[in-house]
Amino acid sequence: DTGVSQDPRHKITKRGQNVTFRCDPISEHNRLYWYRQTLGQGPEFLTYFQNEAQLEKSRLLSDRFSAERPKGSFSTLEIQRTEQGDSAMYLCASSLALGLETQYFGPGTRLLVL
Amino acid sequence: QKEVEQDPGPLSVPEGAIVSLNCTYSNSAFQYFMWYRQYSRKGPELLMYTYSSGNKEDGRFTAQVDKSSKYISLFIRDSQPSDSATYLCAMWKGTYKYIFGTGTRLKVLA
């Protein structure tokens, strides 16, 4: 399968714990995005990378959130000291920065904070 | 006011019906318009994208853009139960991120 993959698909954690999600983009894509989607809403932009550089972060991304993309390949999104309000689907997308950047999404990681 | 507005539905139609899904937007800087389909608990899947005003057809799906009215539509002909999903419109203004609508839940009844 050459699409975007995410791991884990589901995560249940207790409030205050740290969690880390991984995204593997389509191999030739140089841009990688993280979005968050809550029930009944469309995806909301969190951050994006061009190669290994994190170029933009949304105001939605509090100090408890950090994302990395070492070597411009896979990316991780870490949430520290999780809160119940962090419960959501975390989506990763990738694109090739060439003309229209068609973004292809992964299956998402569904986080539930108890 | 949100940049992109989309009726959340739900929309229920009988099998074989023509479905019309719509979004309006307020920012005239949007250049490209996408439609994604999202099945329950899955990631969004790109269906179609359009650039200019007018129609674009792909099988049973037709995307329509009216930039003068800031209004886009997705039509599904001969709808099938397998079309039951949430349909998200997304818009891009030449920067890095997409702006999504809230999604319209569609249910096609057999």
Side-chain angles (χ1 to χ4, degrees), chain A residues 6-13 19 21 34-41 79 86-92 106-113, chain B residues 38-43:
Chain A
Q6 292 186 246
D7 185 69
R9 294 291 306 278
H10 305 274
K11 180 71 178 179
I12 300 174
T13 191
V19 294
F21 309 141
W34 287 98
Y35 289 82
R36 181 170 66 188
Q37 186 178 26
T38 53
L39 199 62
Q41 300 298 316
I79 309 174
D86 297 331
S87 296
M89 171 86 96
Y90 289 84
L91 292 162
C92 176
T109 294
R110 183 169 293 277
L111 173 65
L112 178 61
V113 182
Chain B
Q38 187 173 27
Y39 290 112
S40 181
R41 300 181 180 274
K42 304 288 185 185

Side-chain angles (χ1 to χ4, degrees), chain A residues 17-73:
Chain A
Q17 297 295 305
N18 299 344
V19 294
T20 300
F21 309 141
R22 176 179 170 125
C23 171
D24 287 90
I26 294 171
S27 58
E28 63 268 26
H29 285 183
N30 53 356
R31 286 197 174 179
L32 186 148
Y33 309 80
W34 287 98
Y35 289 82
R36 181 170 66 188
Q37 186 178 26
T38 53
L39 199 62
Q41 300 298 316
E44 292 178 293
F45 170 80
L46 293 178
T47 189
Y48 97 104
F49 293 82
Q50 174 142 336
N51 300 312
E52 65 274 10
Q54 187 175 18
L55 296 184
E56 188 70 26
K57 292 170 63 172
S58 163
R59 286 172 294 177
L60 293 174
L61 216 63
S62 76
D63 291 344
R64 297 183 297 105
F65 288 71
S66 63
E68 294 183 341
R69 193 184 182 196
K71 302 179 183 177
S73 55

Side-chain angles (χ1 to χ4, degrees), chain A residues 81-101:
Chain A
R81 305 180 304 282
T82 52
E83 301 173 356
Q84 288 183 324
D86 297 331
S87 296
M89 171 86 96
Y90 289 84
L91 292 162
C92 176
S94 70
S95 73
L96 189 60
L98 186 68
L100 168 62
E101 293 185 35

Side-chain angles (χ1 to χ4, degrees), chain A residues 9-10 31 33 35 37 40-45 48 56 89 91 99-108 110, chain B residues 2 8 32 34 36 38 40-46 49-50 88 92 94-103:
Chain A
R9 294 291 306 278
H10 305 274
R31 286 197 174 179
Y33 309 80
Y35 289 82
Q37 186 178 26
Q41 300 298 316
E44 292 178 293
F45 170 80
Y48 97 104
E56 188 70 26
M89 171 86 96
L91 292 162
L100 168 62
E101 293 185 35
T102 306
Q103 295 184 16
Y104 295 90
F105 282 81
R110 183 169 293 277
Chain B
K2 287 185 177 180
Y32 287 93
M34 277 68 63
Y36 283 83
Q38 187 173 27
S40 181
R41 300 181 180 274
K42 304 288 185 185
E45 169 196 8
L46 180 66
Y49 66 87
T50 55
L88 296 155
W92 186 65
T95 58
Y96 46 88
K97 66 180 177 181
Y98 286 6
I99 306 297
F100 282 87
T102 55

Side-chain angles (χ1 to χ4, degrees), chain B residues 39-65:
Chain B
Y39 290 112
S40 181
R41 300 181 180 274
K42 304 288 185 185
E45 169 196 8
L46 180 66
L47 282 176
M48 298 182 70
Y49 66 87
T50 55
Y51 172 67
S52 58
S53 285
N55 294 353
K56 182 177 180 180
E57 191 172 315
D58 184 1
R60 297 185 295 113
F61 298 90
T62 299
Q64 189 175 78
V65 174

Side-chain angles (χ1 to χ4, degrees), chain B residues 61-85:
Chain B
F61 298 90
T62 299
Q64 189 175 78
V65 174
D66 182 349
K67 287 188 173 180
S68 63
S69 301
K70 297 189 177 68
Y71 188 88
I72 69 171
S73 299
L74 178 71
F75 297 97
I76 308 174
R77 290 185 300 280
D78 187 25
S79 55
Q80 303 295 310
S82 59
D83 295 327
S84 298

